[in-house]
Amino acid sequence: QVQVVESGGGLVQPGGSLRLSCAASGMIFVNQGMSWFRQAPGKEREWVAGISSNYRTNYVDSVKGRFTISRDNAKNTVYLQMSSLKPEDTAVYYCRTDIGGRAYWGQGTQVTVSS
């Protein structure tokens, strides 16, 4: 079955970096657009970045220039490289893909930016 599994979260100081990974299975990964979302405490889940099957990328304005989404089709994995992290980046980060009109989410990985 379709599955996406996030990893790589943790505690980091402001200005630091983290790389999140999302391993996908049960799909033809090369054909799939992939996205990262995040949800901070008390806030709605928001879209952060996306990468299409042909490697086109898009970002929410608040992370442009700091976050980079990429994919490795040989590993069925999408990454989110996060730099210059801010306390407001603290959230649970989720990976998502859509197949046949259905959204598939991972369980999320916690990112905490704090000194």
Side-chain angles (χ1 to χ4, degrees):
Q1 71 275 21
V2 175
Q3 193 172 18
V4 291
V5 179
E6 305 94 337
S7 62
L11 173 64
V12 63
Q13 292 187 343
S17 299
L18 276 177
R19 189 178 79 158
L20 306 183
S21 300
C22 170
S25 59
M27 67 185 77
I28 304 174
F29 184 75
V30 295
N31 293 343
Q32 290 302 121
M34 303 294 294
S35 297
W36 285 97
F37 286 71
R38 66 186 178 186
Q39 188 165 19
K43 295 188 177 182
E44 294 187 355
R45 192 172 297 189
E46 68 166 348
W47 171 81
V48 174
I51 185 166
S52 70
S53 57
N54 63 356
Y55 296 87
R56 178 176 292 181
T57 60
N58 285 287
Y59 302 90
V60 67
D61 285 347
S62 59
V63 308
K64 284 181 180 177
R66 300 189 299 120
F67 289 13
T68 302
I69 189 171
S70 62
R71 63 189 298 154
D72 185 338
N73 287 344
K75 296 182 178 180
N76 283 11
T77 300
V78 62
Y79 303 98
L80 187 67
Q81 177 67 48
M82 306 185 294
S83 303
S84 302
L85 282 161
K86 305 175 181 180
E88 52 263 43
D89 294 317
T90 294
V92 178
Y93 283 72
Y94 298 92
C95 182
R96 167 180 164 169
T97 193
D98 294 80
I99 301 174
R102 176 180 172 179
Y104 293 87
W105 297 89
Q107 81 290 347
T109 186
Q110 176 70 47
V111 172
T112 302
V113 184
S114 174
S115 55

